[in-house]
Amino acid sequence: MSATLDKAGTRKGAAGTGKLPQPPGVICIDLETGFASADEIERRIADWQAPRNCSRAETIEAKRLEFAQTACEQSALWDVAPILCVACSTDKGLIAFDGMQSGGPPTDPQGNAVIRCGDERKLLLALRDFLDLWQTPHEQVIIVGHNVRGFDLPKLRLAYLRQRLGLPNVLRVWRDSEDERVRTADVMTMFAYQFSLENRPDVGKTPFVSFATVLRYLGIDAYPPGFEGANCPEWHEQGEYDLVVSKALLDAQEEFHVYRLMANEADELDR
């Protein structure tokens, strides 16, 4: 006897009238951050402490100077770093939420939608409205991205709380670890554990594989030279906001493509 599922996902007998649930929505998220404020950088330089294994005065001073010289660049990875842009890729297309500009065209040169929010708070509000469209009480959502668990999702969650905003439903941290209303598929860990022998981490360690490496192993063209995410904070400082938006959109598009390849869903696969 065959079985069906009701709207809540409960299995029923063949006589039931429930329909099979819709497949999960897949949303690839990529965000770009800027430098922390000058005050925050100065505070961290002043609060810097030498590693415990350093005892020689000249070694301590050299390490302090090294930290001071790299603090600005590294600050884009700190928790307090502002979110400049968030791009999302789905099977419906691409959309970017620009937190740097409040005016400008509603699309990029390729015709992708760009919501010009003007600041981080308005970006987060617009992003929440978009993400909440994708989830209903009885459907699952998969959040995809490269290192999305280790970087993008924590950055977004903390930014919402910093702005005293409620999280989108797809970013909520559920108390029950078995709750699958929100699932993640991290492209980096998928590749390291399921598709690579050389990039698997040692036991107990978290894998770190650059997205450029994943593209190379999958035979996908590399990004143009100089189009690295590390350049986004500098582009922001220089007022090159559209470059930041373009970088976020390209990453979201390519990460979604790689996910679909590894999930055996890409149209280009010969079946």
Side-chain angles (χ1 to χ4, degrees), residues 24-27 89-94 134 256 260:
V26 178
I27 305 173
S89 182
T90 72
D91 60 359
K92 306 297 183 185
L94 282 162
W134 281 76
F256 187 62
R260 286 176 58 83

Side-chain angles (χ1 to χ4, degrees), residues 19-248:
K19 298 179 180 180
L20 289 174
Q22 294 296 312
V26 178
I27 305 173
C28 182
I29 293 179
D30 183 86
L31 60 84
E32 303 297 342
T33 59
F35 294 133
S37 68
D39 289 345
E40 179 66 18
I41 293 171
E42 290 178 6
R43 184 188 69 78
R44 295 207 183 192
I45 292 174
D47 291 345
W48 181 85
Q49 294 183 355
R52 292 184 178 181
N53 60 350
C54 286
S55 56
R56 298 176 59 185
E58 57 269 31
T59 303
I60 292 174
E61 180 62 14
K63 288 187 174 296
R64 186 190 70 79
L65 289 174
E66 179 183 359
F67 177 80
Q69 290 169 355
T70 61
C72 182
E73 178 182 345
Q74 294 299 316
S75 73
L77 300 175
W78 295 350
D79 283 345
V80 297
I83 295 175
L84 305 177
C85 182
V86 178
C88 299
S89 182
T90 72
D91 60 359
K92 306 297 183 185
L94 282 162
I95 184 170
F97 299 87
D98 177 358
M100 302 166 288
Q101 305 172 89
S102 56
T107 61
D108 72 348
Q110 287 70 47
N112 300 308
V114 181
I115 309 300
R116 311 286 181 178
C117 305
D119 60 40
E120 184 185 74
R121 182 181 179 85
K122 292 176 183 176
L123 179 158
L124 295 172
L125 287 168
L127 177 65
R128 185 175 67 185
D129 288 343
F130 172 77
L131 293 177
D132 282 349
L133 291 173
W134 281 76
Q135 189 175 32
T136 67
H138 308 303
E139 293 180 354
Q140 295 176 329
V141 176
I142 300 177
I143 300 294
V144 171
H146 188 83
N147 197 22
V148 70
R149 291 194 192 105
F151 182 75
D152 303 80
L153 296 189
K155 280 292 299 181
L156 280 171
R157 290 187 182 110
L158 185 59
Y160 275 100
L161 297 190
R162 184 170 64 241
Q163 296 287 356
R164 294 299 186 267
L165 296 173
L167 295 170
N169 284 330
V170 296
L171 298 185
R172 287 183 62 183
V173 179
W174 301 95
R175 294 180 181 178
D176 184 352
S177 61
E178 299 302 316
D179 193 320
E180 290 192 348
R181 279 176 286 184
V182 179
R183 294 185 293 170
T184 58
D186 196 312
V187 168
M188 182 176 71
T189 54
M190 285 176 68
F191 176 79
Y193 284 113
Q194 309 296 337
F195 293 88
S196 177
L197 298 177
E198 300 175 17
N199 293 284
R200 292 181 185 177
D202 295 334
V203 176
K205 293 186 177 180
T206 301
F208 186 83
V209 185
S210 71
F211 192 57
T213 298
V214 176
L215 292 178
R216 177 165 57 86
Y217 275 67
L218 294 179
I220 300 173
D221 291 341
Y223 289 177
F227 207 59
E228 289 81 25
N231 294 329
C232 284
E234 286 285 356
W235 291 337
H236 176 241
E237 293 286 304
Q238 296 164 4
E240 298 285 355
Y241 305 137
D242 289 341
L243 279 177
V244 178
V245 174
S246 294
K247 172 61 177 172

